[in-house]
Structures are given as C-alpha cells and as structure tokens.
Amino acid sequence: MCGILALIHANASETSAASELHEALYLLQHRGQDACGIATCASGGKIYQCKGNGLASKVFRDDGARLSDLPGYMGIGHLRYPTAGSSANAEAQPFYVNSPYGVIFAHNGNLINAPELKRFLDYEAHRHINTESDSECMLNIFANELNETGKARVNDKDIFAALSRMYERCVGGWACTAMLAGFGIIGFRDAHGIRPLVLGSRPSKNGPGMDYMMASESVALKQLGYKQKDIRDILPGQAVIIQKGSSPVFTQVQTRKSYAPDIFEYVYFARPDSIIDGISVGQSRENMGYKLAATISNVLTPEELKEINVVIPIPETSNTSAACVAARLKKPFSQGFVKNRYVFRTFIMPGQNAREKGVRRKLNAMEEKFAGKNVLLIDDSIVRGTTSREIVNMAREAGALKVYFGSCAPPITHAHIYGIDLASPSELIAHERKADIIAKHIGADKVIFQDLGDLESACAEAVSSGMTVRANQKFEVGVFSGAYVTPVHAGYFAHLEKVRGEARKMKMMEHAREAVANGLADPAGFNIATNGIMVQDDGDLAPSSSHEPGGSSAVNGNDSKPETQRTREKEDGEETPPPRDRMDISLHNFGDYTQDK
C-alpha cells in the first residue's frame, strides 16, 4: 500500500505544483510512513526532485522549506509503505529514467512476476535494475516499450500503445502516475481495478483553463478545492494522459478483466471521508458494524450477550463500526482507549518488536472505563495478533472482568500479494487456527469474526450518494479465502518468503553492526556482524560461516567463477547487498535527505 499523486496546472508559468503535492502528501500520510517524494517539471522540461526515508514533515522539513527547490507547473508525488522488499532510501519514489524522453514514475501495488521481468530487462531489453523494487522494474518495462517508437517526440497514441504492451508483460495489481518531461502527466490502473486511483478537475486559479489532479483517495483532491462532482475513478485497465494546456484523453489500454477493488481499503487503509470506486469508506464501516453485531448475537449465548456492559473501539479505524455494533446490540458505547496521535500506525511499523512496543506507546486504557466490567472490544481486523494481545492485556490490567473481541474483518489466513505486506502466512494468527485457539492466544474470552459474505455486502451496499450500484460487485479478498483475482504461479509464494527473508537479513545485519559499534553486542550478534547470515529457501535465517570450504581469494573482483555462476548470483542478489542510498543520474535532485542539511 502506497499513496500516489499527480498534478498539472493549466498555466505553464505556474511554479506551485510542489506546494499542492506537498499538502496532499499530508492528507495521504496514512497510506505510507516509510518514505516519500515529489518530482516536478518546470518550463523547458527540467525535472526537479526531492525524496527520502521518513514522513513528509521530515523529508521536506516541518515548514516545507525544501519546496523552494522544486519549481514547476506539474509534478507527481509518492508515499511508500514497504512491501516484502527493502525499505532502503534507494527505493524512495518517484523513480526516474532519462531514456527515453525523461520519465518519472510513482507506483502503488505489487508485481507478482517481477523476477521474470528482471530477466527480460537484463537479457533482452538490456536495461539495468539497481534496486529490489518491482516499481523500478515496471518503470523500465514501460520505458523500454516507449523506446520502441524510435521517435524524437511521442504523442498520446504512442504512450497508450506502450502502456498496452507493458500490461501484456506485467502481472499483479497496481495504480500508477507518471510524468514525461515537458509533455504531461499519465495515470493508469490494472485491469482488475485492485488499487485505487481518482482524477479531479477544477478551474485554474491563475487564468483560463482547468487544473487536473490524480490521487489514491478522493480526500486529497477535495481538501485542495476539487469538488466531488468533478472527481471520477480511473477504471480498471484504463489510462489517462493530460498534456499541458489540454483536456484529459482516456483509453482502455487493456480489456477490463473484472472490477474488484481491494476490500482491505475499506476495512483499514483508506480514510473514512474518502470515496473509492463509488463506495463510501465511512458508510461501508457503518455497515460492517451492523453486520458484525448480527454475527455476535449468533455466536455469543444469551447470557454472554446480557453480561456485556460496554462496547469499546480500538481507535481509530474501528470507531465507526464499534458505534454501530453498540447501537444494534443496545449496549453503551465508550471510548476506553486514548490514542497518542504522534505515533505511527503499528501495523505499518517495520518489525515485530517495533509493533509490540508501539501498541502501548500508541494506546492507553482508562481504568474507569474497564474496572469491574465485561467489555466487548471492536477492531478492524486481527493480523498477527500482536496488537490484539497487548490490547486485551491492557484491558485486563485496567480491571476488565471479561474481554470479548470482535473483528470487522474475517480471519486473515493468506498472504496479501498486491502491495500490502500483511505478513507471511506463518505469522498470521488465523492461519490454520480456529477462533477459540485465537482467543486463547490473545487472552480474550471469545473472538468473533465478520463473515466474508457480510463484509462484501457491507462494502457493496455503501454506494455513495449520486453513484450507480454496480451489479454483482466483486472485491479482491484473497487474504481471507486464498482465491486471488489474478493467476499466481506455484513458485511465487516461496519467492515472496525469500524476499521477506532478505529484508529481515538486512535489518538484522544493521542491528548487529550497530550493537558491535556501541559495544553492546552479545556473542550471537558479534558473529552475525562478523560472518553474516544466510537466507534459506523457505525465507528463514541461518548463521553464515566466515569462509566456504575450498574458497579462493578474489583479486580486483575476479573470483574465478564461471560466467554462468556469477550471472546466477547476480540474479539472486547474493553477491552484494542492495544499495541503501541513491542519487538519480542527470537529474536536478535534492534527495538523499540528512538531518543536518
């Protein structure tokens, strides 16, 4: 899950695109807190960029001081939530390639055939991929197809044709924005509509014509003066090109295969004041609450229902649903947890230890709301169980007698493969576990999950005012059922575990080296810092020996291995660690953020 943006002003003499994109980053900050960036284009086709790890307030400074380095009348923005790969600064977006034509690219989603694409780019397209990001793969596939025109200048038909060929190669779920230097902005979405993207228009504030903006969620547009009536969804398989001084041009670059937005947008990720694919996120959560209440009434005995004294939400995503549960069950509703608004969303935090510490840092239980009471806690979902277990413990420490736990989502039993790195199946608490076992694990008296059919109905019925109900509305629900909307080849999940293992390896190596540098390393940490660790085929980590038996020393990088073996190691990423920092070539780049700049 990431947040993407694109903006083009009607007046090409405008220089404030970065300012509006910066404001929109704050409105979509919930979609990614790992990294962010903005790239703009000024008259003359020069591209300027600032990106790096951290929140928007860090990368651009609290007062937005770095925006003065980003002139231009159009630009794109990105907020990154790390998926299975690295969270290195090198993978902060937007990405850039100077050939052909100067392409800037922002991507939300995940490609499930990235290894195949890398081989094509290496052996056939002869384009170098420098990070572990599938976004860089997709950009280079697009750039390669665009280069096939052989023209000095391209038009919208050339770009649509290149996108069509790119869609034929790429498999997964995505929504993307792009910018061609001096030409205009582009937006497009996968043929299933898994990841969201909207386009809005408004009269220019500085002269005739219309300004246009794209974003992952409508709230970013509405807060910047775009009216809901002038906001539309980019449809599955559709692309839009907006050249400077022109109206949008739409084309179906791939035949729509389904209309199946990711249901987790409505459950957790999107803001409640957003409308995605004609469905009100806030209304869908109200519906989830009413339907969950019906399930709770069926699962709990009459005696258990009667003894519930209060319904308490786990803030903030479940606030709306919990109020509806309380209303339907005719129970008091109370905000029993106080949220620290200056702490990350714990699900987005990278690393289990960080998530565990983050729960208590984020929430505090008010004893008067729990003491001597039987409570029904409502949360949007249960993923690993880490947060849920800590919350149940906090409720009991505050004096709760019994703790029932309701989840607005069904049991999450499978990996997410379209850009939301929930967890490995083995880390999911509901993977091959029944509700009673889950309740015991998190310390609750009972756990009640939403029915999948009810969840789908809750969203499908939440059509926003003025929108048309789509017949037989479908959603991407693979995390609950294992039935994904795109084909998934047999080896993909093993590949995913290996990628996750590489990410864990990098973090563990960094921690070990930091501990050694500070004199705090234990023997195991010292061994890791000295000899490293290996990622096994199943993604698990194992100690690495300092030298392989029979190994020979390398001179000037020549390890005397056959070419085929060196090529294989290059493909597997085993020779060298991925780059941590980046400086895009041939770009007016103000990235590589550091605190003392």
Side-chain angles (χ1 to χ4, degrees):
M1 177 195 73
C2 297
I4 59 172
L5 298 158
L7 169 69
I8 186 166
H9 284 138
N11 187 345
S13 64
E14 276 274 2
T15 59
S16 61
S19 178
E20 292 196 68
L21 289 168
H22 178 246
E23 182 68 22
L25 289 179
Y26 284 98
L27 296 168
L28 297 183
Q29 188 76 80
H30 60 284
R31 297 190 67 85
Q33 301 169 342
D34 192 62
C36 63
I38 291 173
T40 60
C41 183
S43 57
K46 289 290 191 297
I47 294 174
Y48 301 81
Q49 180 171 267
C50 175
K51 63 180 181 176
N53 278 1
L55 302 174
S57 58
K58 175 186 175 184
V59 174
F60 297 97
R61 305 287 178 88
D62 290 327
D63 58 356
R66 307 195 78 205
L67 298 178
S68 61
D69 296 328
L70 301 171
Y73 65 96
M74 66 176 176
I76 66 174
H78 188 269
L79 291 150
R80 184 183 72 195
Y81 158 73
T83 51
S86 165
S87 60
N89 189 41
E91 296 185 9
Q93 295 186 42
F95 279 130
Y96 167 78
V97 290
N98 62 2
S99 176
Y101 315 116
V103 186
I104 290 280
F105 191 84
H107 172 246
N108 172 28
N110 190 51
L111 300 179
I112 62 177
N113 66 331
E116 174 187 330
L117 296 177
K118 285 183 179 180
R119 285 191 290 272
F120 165 78
L121 289 167
D122 186 8
Y123 289 104
E124 297 184 46
H126 307 144
R127 300 184 72 94
H128 177 65
I129 301 300
N130 203 49
T131 72
E132 302 305 308
S133 172
D134 61 344
S135 305
E136 189 186 8
C137 278
M138 194 171 199
L139 166 59
N140 277 274
I141 293 289
F142 173 52
N144 182 68
E145 298 299 342
L146 199 56
N147 197 49
E148 293 298 313
T149 64
K151 293 182 177 180
R153 296 290 184 270
V154 288
N155 56 37
D156 54 359
K157 293 182 176 61
D158 297 323
I159 296 170
F160 286 135
L163 284 171
S164 293
R165 294 192 297 272
M166 183 199 76
Y167 272 58
E168 292 173 4
R169 293 190 181 277
C170 297
V171 180
W174 62 79
C176 302
T177 56
M179 179 172 65
L180 263 65
F183 180 88
I185 59 174
I186 308 166
F188 51 93
R189 199 172 173 197
D190 70 83
H192 297 277
I194 298 171
R195 302 258 61 84
L197 186 62
V198 295
L199 168 67
S201 61
R202 70 177 182 199
S204 172
K205 298 177 181 178
N206 296 293
M210 303 292 287
D211 297 336
Y212 297 95
M213 188 172 186
M214 287 180 273
S216 296
E217 294 184 37
S218 60
V219 64
L221 306 187
K222 287 187 284 188
Q223 292 287 62
L224 291 172
Y226 295 81
K227 304 298 184 184
Q228 183 62 51
K229 65 181 180 65
D230 299 318
I231 297 174
R232 55 160 293 175
D233 294 288
I234 305 300
L235 300 175
Q238 188 179 65
V240 58
I241 296 174
I242 310 172
Q243 297 185 55
K244 57 182 180 181
S246 301
S247 299
V249 178
F250 297 89
T251 289
Q252 196 73 25
V253 293
Q254 188 174 56
T255 302
R256 183 193 300 185
K257 297 180 179 179
S258 65
Y259 205 146
D262 187 347
I263 208 163
F264 232 83
E265 291 281 354
Y266 306 100
V267 171
Y268 178 79
F269 287 113
R271 279 178 49 150
D273 46 351
S274 285
I275 296 172
I276 296 176
D277 291 308
I279 295 172
S280 165
V281 176
Q283 183 61 55
S284 72
R285 290 176 184 168
E286 288 186 23
N287 295 350
M288 290 175 207
Y290 292 130
K291 292 181 184 296
L292 178 60
T295 300
I296 290 170
S297 296
N298 292 330
V299 171
L300 298 185
T301 66
E303 292 75 19
E304 289 170 331
L305 279 171
K306 185 177 180 179
E307 69 182 8
I308 293 174
N309 302 118
V310 63
V311 177
I312 295 176
I314 312 304
E316 291 181 328
T317 315
S318 63
N319 287 356
T320 301
S321 300
C324 295
V325 169
R328 186 57 54 90
L329 295 179
K330 298 180 180 179
K331 297 291 183 180
F333 171 79
S334 181
Q335 294 280 359
F337 291 99
V338 176
K339 181 179 179 181
N340 181 348
R341 298 181 183 273
Y342 303 97
V343 176
F344 292 159
R345 295 172 91 170
T346 53
F347 168 72
I348 295 181
M349 287 181 174
Q352 184 82 344
N353 290 337
R355 282 187 290 271
E356 290 175 355
K357 292 179 181 179
V359 175
R360 288 182 181 263
R361 194 182 302 133
K362 183 179 74 169
L363 296 176
N364 182 54
M366 294 185 285
E367 289 189 9
E368 63 271 22
K369 304 290 185 179
F370 292 90
K373 298 178 181 178
N374 300 314
V375 300
L376 171 59
L377 303 181
I378 302 295
D379 206 352
D380 51 77
S381 58
I382 303 176
V383 183
R384 296 173 179 85
T386 304
T387 300
S388 304
R389 184 171 57 249
E390 287 298 318
I391 286 170
V392 171
N393 287 340
M394 291 165 67
R396 294 199 186 279
E397 290 168 7
L401 300 178
K402 287 188 176 181
V403 180
Y404 300 102
F405 202 105
S407 168
C408 294
I412 299 172
T413 54
H414 295 77
H416 196 291
I417 63 173
Y418 301 116
I420 304 174
D421 189 23
L422 291 176
S424 301
S426 61
E427 297 173 317
L428 297 170
I429 193 172
H431 183 65
E432 298 182 349
R433 294 186 183 93
K434 299 296 184 182
D436 56 341
I437 302 300
I438 296 170
K440 183 176 180 180
H441 181 82
I442 69 173
D445 290 275
K446 271 191 180 179
V447 170
I448 305 96
F449 287 100
Q450 184 89 265
D451 177 75
L452 179 55
D454 286 344
L455 175 61
E456 292 178 294
S457 297
C459 296
E461 294 166 5
V463 178
S464 180
S465 176
M467 300 290 183
T468 303
V469 178
R470 281 188 295 275
N472 301 316
Q473 173 67 65
K474 302 295 183 183
F475 297 93
E476 159 48 37
V477 295
V479 291
F480 306 119
S481 65
Y484 301 98
V485 298
T486 64
V488 184
H489 64 80
Y492 176 71
F493 293 103
H495 164 74
L496 193 61
E497 291 307 304
K498 190 78 179 288
V499 171
R500 287 195 176 107
E502 292 290 348
R504 291 195 301 272
K505 169 185 172 180
M506 187 181 301
K507 290 183 176 69
M508 189 174 292
M509 290 288 292
E510 288 177 352
H511 293 157
R513 287 166 180 163
E514 183 178 348
V516 170
N518 293 320
L520 301 174
D522 57 16
F526 186 81
N527 182 60
I528 289 172
T530 304
N531 299 324
I533 45 181
M534 296 173 57
V535 180
Q536 299 176 332
D537 290 340
D538 59 0
D540 288 342
L541 303 181
S544 176
S545 59
S546 57
H547 298 286
E548 290 295 327
S552 60
S553 60
V555 179
N556 293 336
N558 179 9
D559 57 5
S560 301
K561 292 179 181 177
E563 182 67 26
T564 53
Q565 186 171 352
R566 291 199 300 273
T567 301
R568 181 192 62 78
E569 290 179 334
K570 178 183 177 183
E571 289 175 355
D572 293 343
E574 295 172 354
E575 281 192 343
T576 58
R580 302 293 293 165
D581 296 305
R582 40 118 280 283
M583 175 62 74
D584 292 335
I585 306 301
S586 303
L587 185 64
H588 294 261
N589 187 352
F590 302 95
D592 298 315
Y593 179 85
T594 57
Q595 283 289 99
D596 56 356
K597 279 189 179 179

